[in-house]
Structure formats: structure tokens, C-alpha cells
Amino acid sequence: MYRLANSVRPYAWGSVTALPQLLGVEPSGEPQAEMWMGAHPGAPSHTEAGPLNEVIDAAPEALLGEAAVAKFGPRLPFLLKLLAAGAPLSLQVHPDLDQARAGFAEEERRGVPLDAPHRNYKDANHKPELLCALTPFDGLCGFREPAAAAELIAGLGVDSLKPYVDLLRAHPEEAALREVLTAVLGADREEMAATVTEAAAAAERLGGDYAPYATLAHHYPGDPGVLAGMLLNHVTLQPGEALYLGAGIPHAYLDGLGVEIMANSDNVLRCGLTPKHIDIPELLRIVRFQAGEAGVLRPEAGPDGEEVYATPIEEFRLSRFVLSEDGAARDLATALPQILLCTAGRVQVGELALGPGESAFVTPGEAAEVSGDGTLFRATVVA
């Protein structure tokens, strides 16, 4: 078992206060966006034996277990994070596994440098992810029904948006969503900026359901992603609720603190709300133009008080335990690798005492008796 020392990523959209408040430290005055826990080479957790990725590389079967290595190879297949959004993240989608493999191979064939700003595929893996709220958490996730999107956009009273409203009302679902997103992202930038500015003023005036889009426009003036965002479901997660984001689902996190887990990948195709590269043809190939509700997840009760967030993929499995001092200790030993993260109270994991924001990597087969008075998240794999 290893206590983890984890680095914080200072992305501009990060909250100045949320992570320091959880960790019980003074804010630095700078954004603190993500705390990474795992073996991603970009910011691996550190252990007393060295960086976790190097520790795993030295003895993968001992650190990951035979079953995990056989299924996923000699690397930890997930990355766990604390994510603290103080401003909206980019509107984005992720490819499925076949798309990622093909896209990566094609860019390799064309000799596109891995660090090129216009590179779409940084690796050959997919990036499903799950976000569990620790505080009320705002986000955009998946397409609204076209009729509902048409009503929302029409309510702004902006003449230049009427063609989009007509498209949403007149076409079959997939065609309507595809045509409107294509038109918004492909429009003349200056004309679209003027439309977004007018729409933002109306959203500011109307408030209510329009307030999230006024906020987007405040952070990204004139960005077509503001209008693209109006095609999506707005959702506010309550603590303990979660969103699962599979391949092709457009989404953006807006505000709040949560635990995020994902497959180990950097593959992102952006739709807007960003100054970064947007590859519209490739984006439109990856997006799944299917409308429906955002699909809020609530944990399912398992044995010994474990609450599991069920997802359809195998690279990660996230669950939590809400522990109390008068409860019996539980042994979480398993033949799989796991990261245990405390998010509230004090939790004892074997000989390690964990407070909020502290975590441990537990190797396969190792005794991991947990007790205490607090909340503990458990990240592992399905193998």
C-alpha cells in the first residue's frame, strides 16, 4: 500500500477556493483545477518508492495483478481526479475505441507531431469518463430534443437565429441536430460573434433557464459554442449524483467540485468555448446526434455498504463508502489495483490515516481494512 502525493493542475478554468477548502489549506490566489491520482505520465502520483508509473513499470503484475495486466496491459488503465471548475470547460466529445485507433494511426501516418496544436488524437485509446458531484455541480450533457432546443432558442427573440429554429422544428431528429451544429460552427466568425453577443444580452435579461448561457457568453464572448451549448441538456447534479459520458456525447462542465474518473487518454475533439483548435469535419464524424435526457446516475447499493456507480465499460469502476465510527471495519482487499480517496471526515486504510483529498494506492491481494467517520471513494477496474 502506498500513500499518494498528488499534483494539482492550475488550468485557467479552475476554482481558486474549492480544492483548498477541501484540503484544509489556504488558497494560493491561483486557479486550482484538477488533482490527478494515478500513473498518467503527464502528472503521476508520487509514492515513497518513486513516481507511481515507474513503480508499476518495474513490476506490473505485482502492482496491477495478473487479471488486469492480461486485459489492459502493463499500465493502470484509469486516471482518478478531483475536479474543481470555477469557469466553464470547453464543449467537447471523445471518440470510441475504434475511432481513436484509426484517428491516431492516420495522424501518425501523416507525421503530425504529438504536441502539434492541431493534433486530434494524442493516443490510440478511448476516453469514457464519470463525474460524481461533491458539491452542486452544473454541466451540459447530451442533446436536447430538437423541439425543446427550438423553443429555448426561439425564446431569445433574435432574428438571426430563426433559421436554426426552423431547422430544429422541420427535420428528423438526427438531421436537425447535425444541420444546426454544422451551421453554427461553420458560420462566418464575425457574423456569428454578433449573433452570440445579441443572444447573450437576451439571455442575461431573461435569466432562469437562460442564465447558464449568459454565463458562457461572459467567459467566451462571441464564441459559437454558446449557441452550440443551447442544443444540450443543462443539468445540476446534487452531491452524490453522477454523469457518465460515453463516446460521441457532447458535454461541458460549468461549475462545481467533483470526483472524476476516466480511461487513460488525452483524446478530445472540441466544439467550442475554447481558443484551441476545432476540427469541424472530424468533430461532426465523431458526434452522436441522438437526443435524450442527460442520464443522471445515482449509486446502487452493494455488499458491505459499498455504493457503486454502474457504467458499461471495464477500464474503471467507481464506488463510495459512507463510514461511521460505530460501523464495522471492512476489508477491501481484491486481486485488482485500486486507489482509495477520502473526500470527507477521517478514514483509516490499514496503517494509513486519510483526510479530505488524501489517497492511497492498494496493490492486488493486500489487506485494506477501512474504518472511520467519513466518505471514501474506491477506484478500480473490472477484470
Side-chain angles (χ1 to χ4, degrees), residues 161-235:
L161 292 177
K162 288 181 179 178
Y164 303 141
V165 173
D166 292 341
L167 283 172
L168 289 167
R169 288 174 172 165
H171 287 259
E173 173 183 296
E174 181 176 345
L177 295 170
R178 179 182 292 276
E179 288 189 37
V180 172
L181 184 62
T182 302
V184 167
L185 297 182
D188 178 85
R189 295 290 292 191
E190 289 188 7
E191 292 180 5
M192 180 53 64
T195 296
V196 171
T197 299
E198 186 178 354
E204 183 76 33
R205 182 177 67 255
L206 292 166
D209 290 343
Y210 294 95
Y213 307 100
T215 300
L216 291 182
H218 172 74
H219 288 284
Y220 299 98
D223 193 305
V226 175
L227 295 181
M230 297 189 75
L231 299 174
L232 308 186
N233 299 295
H234 174 248
V235 60

Side-chain angles (χ1 to χ4, degrees), residues 14 21 24 43 61 64 77 80 91 94 98 155 203 205 210 212 223 274 300 315 343 346 357 372:
Q21 184 175 351
E61 289 201 353
L64 302 176
L80 184 66
L91 188 59
H94 307 302
D98 289 340
R205 182 177 67 255
Y210 294 95
D223 193 305
T274 178
E300 301 175 2
E315 283 89 344
T343 59
R346 303 293 299 182

Side-chain angles (χ1 to χ4, degrees), residues 65-137:
E66 292 182 4
V69 170
K71 179 171 283 191
F72 306 111
R75 289 173 177 78
L76 188 67
F78 65 81
L79 176 63
L80 184 66
K81 299 179 180 180
L82 282 167
L83 184 146
L89 283 67
S90 62
L91 188 59
Q92 60 189 258
V93 297
H94 307 302
D96 64 25
L97 190 55
D98 289 340
Q99 291 165 339
R101 287 171 174 168
F104 180 79
E106 173 60 18
E107 290 188 323
E108 288 289 278
R109 185 190 67 78
R110 291 192 283 115
V112 181
L114 277 175
D115 59 353
H118 62 285
R119 174 114 189 190
N120 292 317
Y121 298 95
K122 303 298 178 66
D123 53 67
N125 200 13
H126 61 165
K127 193 186 178 187
E129 57 191 45
L130 177 74
L131 186 286
C132 178
L134 296 179
T135 67
F137 196 103

Side-chain angles (χ1 to χ4, degrees), residues 1-365:
M1 185 182 303
Y2 298 93
R3 179 184 292 276
L4 298 180
N6 307 303
S7 61
V8 174
R9 314 295 276 181
Y11 305 136
W13 50 261
S15 169
V16 174
T17 59
L19 275 178
Q21 184 175 351
L22 178 74
L23 298 171
V25 299
E26 288 295 318
S28 67
E30 299 297 322
Q32 298 187 36
E34 295 180 347
M35 176 183 285
W36 289 20
M37 289 156 280
H40 192 289
S45 298
H46 282 257
T47 75
E48 60 188 18
L52 184 58
N53 58 329
E54 295 180 8
V55 175
I56 290 173
D57 287 345
E61 289 201 353
L63 272 290
L64 302 176
E66 292 182 4
V69 170
K71 179 171 283 191
F72 306 111
R75 289 173 177 78
L76 188 67
F78 65 81
L79 176 63
L80 184 66
K81 299 179 180 180
L82 282 167
L83 184 146
L89 283 67
S90 62
L91 188 59
Q92 60 189 258
V93 297
H94 307 302
D96 64 25
L97 190 55
D98 289 340
Q99 291 165 339
R101 287 171 174 168
F104 180 79
E106 173 60 18
E107 290 188 323
E108 288 289 278
R109 185 190 67 78
R110 291 192 283 115
V112 181
L114 277 175
D115 59 353
H118 62 285
R119 174 114 189 190
N120 292 317
Y121 298 95
K122 303 298 178 66
D123 53 67
N125 200 13
H126 61 165
K127 193 186 178 187
E129 57 191 45
L130 177 74
L131 186 286
C132 178
L134 296 179
T135 67
F137 196 103
D138 274 3
L140 303 174
C141 179
F143 286 109
R144 298 174 186 265
E145 296 293 338
E151 182 178 353
L152 185 72
I153 295 171
L156 291 169
V158 176
D159 288 344
S160 55
L161 292 177
K162 288 181 179 178
Y164 303 141
V165 173
D166 292 341
L167 283 172
L168 289 167
R169 288 174 172 165
H171 287 259
E173 173 183 296
E174 181 176 345
L177 295 170
R178 179 182 292 276
E179 288 189 37
V180 172
L181 184 62
T182 302
V184 167
L185 297 182
D188 178 85
R189 295 290 292 191
E190 289 188 7
E191 292 180 5
M192 180 53 64
T195 296
V196 171
T197 299
E198 186 178 354
E204 183 76 33
R205 182 177 67 255
L206 292 166
D209 290 343
Y210 294 95
Y213 307 100
T215 300
L216 291 182
H218 172 74
H219 288 284
Y220 299 98
D223 193 305
V226 175
L227 295 181
M230 297 189 75
L231 299 174
L232 308 186
N233 299 295
H234 174 248
V235 60
T236 299
L237 301 176
Q238 297 305 313
E241 294 180 334
L243 285 175
Y244 171 71
L245 300 162
I249 299 175
H251 61 278
Y253 299 143
L254 305 183
D255 183 75
L257 176 67
V259 174
E260 185 183 36
I261 189 169
M262 62 186 62
N264 244 333
S265 173
D266 288 328
N267 288 326
V268 176
L269 290 115
R270 296 174 177 85
C271 313
L273 309 180
T274 178
K276 295 182 178 180
H277 173 67
I278 297 177
D279 184 335
I280 296 175
E282 185 66 8
L283 169 73
L284 296 173
R285 193 178 72 84
I286 297 302
V287 171
R288 295 182 180 177
F289 291 95
Q290 299 172 346
E293 297 182 356
V296 174
L297 291 178
R298 295 172 181 84
E300 301 175 2
D304 296 325
E306 185 175 23
E307 300 175 327
V308 180
Y309 293 91
T311 64
I313 52 92
E314 298 182 323
E315 283 89 344
F316 61 75
R317 176 184 183 273
L318 186 71
S319 61
R320 70 172 184 176
F321 295 85
V322 180
L323 306 171
S324 60
E325 289 183 344
D326 57 356
R330 302 167 174 84
D331 189 356
L332 304 188
T334 173
L336 302 169
Q338 53 186 326
I339 294 178
L340 303 179
L341 165 68
C342 176
T343 59
R346 303 293 299 182
V347 176
Q348 193 73 26
V349 180
E351 297 182 355
L352 299 181
L354 303 181
E358 296 180 333
S359 56
F361 180 83
V362 183
T363 56

